[in-house]
Amino acid sequence: TPWMGWETMEPFAADPAHGFFVVAHSSNPGAPDFQEIPTPRGPLWLAIVGEVRRLATANGNAGAVVGATYSEAIRLARATLGNGVPILVPGIGAQGGQLATTVREGVDGHGRALLVSASRSILYASSGPDWKKAAAVETERLKVQINQLRTGLGKR
């Protein structure tokens, strides 16, 4: 989280052998309460994304967290971050984020740099003794769907 200041992230940023993600715009309904506060560089969350780009450019190891429930935020984050800087996206499934929109707005110009987080749909795929198999099936289903959605998007 950027709340402690950028110097708290510098140890992570300084080690290009390890990647890290900075929360910019979360997927919960109250996210705009503070994340949309205006700054001279746009809403606070977008100023954070600009700093993530700076850190990513320096060492190639930073990414931004942007919730899937705010597709416009994903689009603006990708436009700000450019190619190669990853976006980690929570909020698909139970929170209501749309996978197709997330992939379309979030992949970079190469059809990459998007990490979709799906927790509850995998974790709770079954409450029975087949939970491991159900989780594996759900994971594979999401992987196939994401890759189908990515097809052709890197050529924009």
Side-chain angles (χ1 to χ4, degrees), residues 1-2 6 9 12-13 18-25 45 48-66 77-78 81-90 113-115:
T1 177
W6 293 109
M9 287 180 256
F12 301 103
H18 297 91
F20 68 103
F21 286 89
V22 178
V23 177
H25 200 304
W45 74 268
I48 291 167
V49 169
E51 290 299 310
V52 169
R53 180 185 171 113
R54 179 185 65 77
L55 293 170
T57 301
N59 290 318
N61 63 343
V65 178
V66 181
R78 175 51 62 210
L81 294 170
N83 287 333
V85 180
I87 300 174
L88 174 61
V89 184
L114 183 73
L115 299 162

Side-chain angles (χ1 to χ4, degrees), residues 2 5 9-10 33 35 39 50 53 57 60 62 70 76 80 84 101 109 114 125 129 132 136 139 146 156:
M9 287 180 256
E10 288 299 333
D33 294 349
Q35 295 167 12
T39 76
R53 180 185 171 113
T57 301
Y70 296 93
L76 289 171
T80 301
T101 302
L114 183 73
K132 288 181 185 178
T139 301
I146 290 166
R156 353 181 221 176

Side-chain angles (χ1 to χ4, degrees), residues 101-134:
T101 302
T102 297
V103 172
R104 183 182 67 244
E105 300 295 346
V107 297
D108 69 4
H110 305 289
R112 297 180 173 168
L114 183 73
L115 299 162
V116 176
S117 172
S119 301
R120 284 184 259 183
S121 63
I122 294 170
L123 183 63
Y124 300 119
S126 173
S127 60
D130 67 335
W131 67 270
K132 288 181 185 178
K133 182 175 185 200

